[in-house]
Protein backbone atom coordinates (compact mmCIF):
# COMPACT_ATOMS: atom_id res chain seq x y z
CA UNK A 1 0.00 0.00 0.00
CA UNK A 2 2.89 2.36 0.69
CA UNK A 3 4.08 1.88 -2.86
CA UNK A 4 0.73 3.17 -4.14
CA UNK A 5 1.32 6.51 -2.40
CA UNK A 6 4.68 6.75 -4.19
CA UNK A 7 2.86 6.10 -7.47
CA UNK A 8 0.40 8.88 -6.61
CA UNK A 9 3.36 11.12 -5.86
CA UNK A 10 4.85 10.35 -9.26
CA UNK A 11 1.64 11.19 -11.14
CA UNK A 12 0.98 14.38 -9.19
CA UNK A 13 4.58 15.39 -9.90
CA UNK A 14 3.99 14.80 -13.62
CA UNK A 15 0.83 16.93 -13.49
CA UNK A 16 2.69 19.65 -11.56
CA UNK A 17 5.45 19.79 -14.15
CA UNK A 18 2.95 20.01 -17.01
CA UNK A 19 1.03 22.76 -15.21
CA UNK A 20 4.27 24.65 -14.59
CA UNK A 21 5.21 24.35 -18.26
CA UNK A 22 1.75 25.71 -19.15
CA UNK A 23 2.22 28.81 -16.93
CA UNK A 24 -0.40 27.64 -14.42
CA UNK A 25 1.69 28.42 -11.36
CA UNK A 26 -1.01 28.11 -8.68
CA UNK A 27 -2.05 24.68 -9.93
CA UNK A 28 1.55 23.53 -10.21
CA UNK A 29 2.28 24.67 -6.64
CA UNK A 30 -0.74 22.74 -5.37
CA UNK A 31 0.38 19.58 -7.16
CA UNK A 32 4.02 19.98 -6.06
CA UNK A 33 2.81 20.08 -2.46
CA UNK A 34 0.62 17.02 -3.00
CA UNK A 35 3.59 15.20 -4.53
CA UNK A 36 5.76 15.93 -1.52
CA UNK A 37 3.05 14.73 0.87
CA UNK A 38 2.43 11.54 -1.12
CA UNK A 39 6.14 10.73 -1.29
CA UNK A 40 6.43 11.36 2.45
CA UNK A 41 3.48 9.07 3.20
CA UNK A 42 4.91 6.46 0.84
CA UNK A 43 8.09 6.11 2.87
CA UNK A 44 6.44 6.03 6.30
CA UNK A 45 5.67 2.61 7.69
CA UNK A 46 1.95 2.82 8.44
CA UNK A 47 -0.48 -0.06 8.54
CA UNK A 48 -2.67 -0.75 5.53
CA UNK A 49 -5.73 0.48 7.42
CA UNK A 50 -4.02 3.80 8.14
CA UNK A 51 -3.11 4.23 4.48
CA UNK A 52 -6.68 3.55 3.41
CA UNK A 53 -8.07 6.01 5.97
CA UNK A 54 -5.58 8.69 4.86
CA UNK A 55 -6.57 8.14 1.23
CA UNK A 56 -10.28 8.44 2.04
CA UNK A 57 -9.57 11.65 3.96
CA UNK A 58 -7.62 13.00 1.01
CA UNK A 59 -10.43 12.13 -1.41
CA UNK A 60 -13.07 13.83 0.76
CA UNK A 61 -11.01 17.01 1.08
CA UNK A 62 -10.14 17.01 -2.63
CA UNK A 63 -13.72 16.53 -3.80
CA UNK A 64 -15.09 19.11 -1.37
CA UNK A 65 -12.43 21.60 -2.49
CA UNK A 66 -13.09 20.91 -6.17
CA UNK A 67 -16.84 21.26 -5.70
CA UNK A 68 -16.48 24.51 -3.75
CA UNK A 69 -14.11 25.98 -6.34
CA UNK A 70 -16.15 24.97 -9.36
CA UNK A 71 -19.46 26.24 -7.92
CA UNK A 72 -18.57 29.32 -5.88
CA UNK A 73 -15.29 30.60 -7.33
CA UNK A 74 -15.72 29.88 -11.05
CA UNK A 75 -19.36 30.91 -11.11
CA UNK A 76 -22.12 29.52 -13.23
CA UNK A 77 -22.30 30.28 -16.97
CA UNK A 78 -25.05 32.70 -17.84
Amino acid sequence: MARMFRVLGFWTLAIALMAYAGDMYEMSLLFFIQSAVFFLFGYLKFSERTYILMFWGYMIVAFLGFTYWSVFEMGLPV
Side-chain angles (χ1 to χ4, degrees):
M1 194 66 168
R3 190 174 292 167
M4 195 64 222
F5 273 84
R6 285 178 265 182
V7 171
L8 286 170
F10 168 78
W11 285 113
T12 53
L13 180 63
I15 293 170
L17 290 172
M18 288 187 286
Y20 187 76
D23 296 328
M24 294 183 278
Y25 299 117
E26 293 87 2
M27 179 181 166
S28 66
L29 180 64
L30 177 67
F31 276 85
F32 279 128
I33 292 169
Q34 287 182 22
S35 296
V37 170
F38 282 146
F39 279 125
L40 174 72
F41 284 163
Y43 286 103
L44 295 175
K45 301 295 183 191
F46 290 129
S47 67
E48 187 172 347
R49 178 179 167 86
T50 304
Y51 279 120
I52 290 173
L53 289 174
M54 285 190 309
F55 183 71
W56 272 98
Y58 166 75
M59 293 306 291
I60 289 170
V61 170
F63 284 131
L64 286 175
F66 177 78
T67 302
Y68 170 80
W69 186 264
S70 61
V71 172
F72 295 112
E73 296 294 327
M74 290 179 65
L76 299 173
V78 182

